[in-house]
Amino acid sequence: QSLLIKELSAFIGRAVPANPAGIDRALEAAKAKAIPGVAAAMDRAARSNGSHLGTVRALTTVQMQHLVTKMEAGEVSREEMDGPILTMRQFGEPLARKTTYWSWLGTLYAERAGRITTDEELRRSDWLAAIDNWTRAHELAPFNTLHAVKIADAAAQLGDNAAASQWAKIALRVSEQMRLDPLVQLSESEQRRMRGLLAEVARGGDGLHQPRRHRRADAGIARPGSLDV
């Protein structure tokens, strides 16, 4: 522990208290200090190999971590909030045929909706964009339960019980069809959650409708130099 405290103190430039709370605060400070340098290095790596999805995904993960850190310290500008999503879309052309591209783009929107923005209009727009991207991923991999579950949960966040129920049905049906491949089946907790969404609609009497794309995948992103969408 003494070596950790010594290294942390040297890295963040101040003495670290020798107690768990002090070490935790120092670790957060060290992470905040390290992230910009890591992001710059990852950006260089992505630009030298933009067709490698893992590299681009790692870059956007670091960018999102940086946003969370800044959000905890104070306000984050709209331009900063757009950063990870714009980065992912910048490298989209060589990656757009991959399910994981659309899946991760949807996750970035969902992360911003759930952890970054406090603007209710932007949060709703982000959940809709997440649904759109996860729908594209589902179309490319219809026997993967992951995206149906994500869409059902996102629709529930939006209060769209009918869509949540319809996607919950799809998730449960695909899971049953893939019973010979338990790795892609729903977990017990996911099954309970999906059945809960079905029960919610049954109690509320909402009519079901077919799954649909809610809006364009780039909705909710401010264009460089403009707030127009």
Side-chain angles (χ1 to χ4, degrees):
Q1 189 183 65
S2 59
L3 179 60
L4 172 63
I5 291 173
K6 181 179 178 181
E7 294 291 334
L8 278 174
S9 297
F11 185 69
I12 65 176
R14 60 177 170 80
V16 176
N19 57 64
I23 293 172
D24 285 344
R25 287 194 298 270
L27 286 171
E28 287 301 313
K31 183 174 72 172
K33 182 177 179 180
I35 281 177
V38 173
M42 292 304 306
D43 183 68
R44 290 192 296 271
R47 292 185 187 284
S48 66
N49 190 15
S51 62
H52 186 256
L53 181 58
T55 302
V56 179
R57 178 171 170 168
L59 169 59
T60 57
T61 299
V62 173
Q63 290 176 325
M64 188 61 74
Q65 289 174 339
H66 187 40
L67 276 181
V68 171
T69 301
K70 290 195 71 173
M71 191 71 182
E72 291 170 350
E75 287 296 317
V76 177
S77 71
R78 176 61 190 273
E79 184 178 355
E80 289 174 314
M81 284 193 286
D82 285 345
I85 294 168
L86 288 174
T87 295
M88 196 69 185
R89 293 188 64 79
Q90 176 185 349
F91 295 99
E93 187 174 346
L95 303 174
R97 289 188 296 273
K98 298 182 179 181
T99 304
T100 312
Y101 170 78
W102 298 107
S103 180
W104 187 246
L105 188 54
T107 297
L108 290 176
Y109 277 109
E111 281 290 298
R112 189 169 72 172
R115 301 178 64 188
I116 304 298
T117 183
T118 57
D119 183 301
E120 286 302 321
E121 184 177 350
L122 179 58
R123 179 177 284 123
R124 178 174 177 79
S125 174
D126 280 350
W127 280 122
L128 291 171
I131 288 172
D132 182 81
N133 284 285
W134 287 332
T135 301
R136 290 172 182 252
H138 177 79
E139 289 168 353
L140 290 170
F143 295 105
N144 188 331
T145 57
L146 173 66
H147 304 108
V149 169
K150 285 178 176 290
I151 295 167
D153 286 336
Q157 286 281 345
L158 291 169
D160 190 345
N161 289 341
S165 174
Q166 186 69 20
W167 282 101
K169 279 185 173 182
I170 291 172
L172 290 165
R173 184 178 70 239
V174 172
S175 182
E176 175 61 22
Q177 290 172 340
M178 301 303 290
R179 59 185 178 276
L180 296 180
D181 188 357
L183 292 178
V184 299
Q185 283 191 295
L186 298 179
S187 66
E188 289 186 6
S189 63
E190 287 172 331
Q191 288 185 44
R192 286 195 299 270
R193 195 163 74 252
M194 295 300 101
R195 292 194 177 102
L197 292 175
L198 292 175
E200 176 116 359
V201 170
R203 287 194 298 270
D206 288 344
L208 299 181
H209 57 70
Q210 292 299 313
R212 55 186 169 83
R213 289 210 182 112
H214 292 262
R215 64 185 298 178
R216 296 180 298 113
D218 60 350
I221 299 182
R223 295 300 185 196
S226 170
L227 292 179
D228 293 334
V229 176

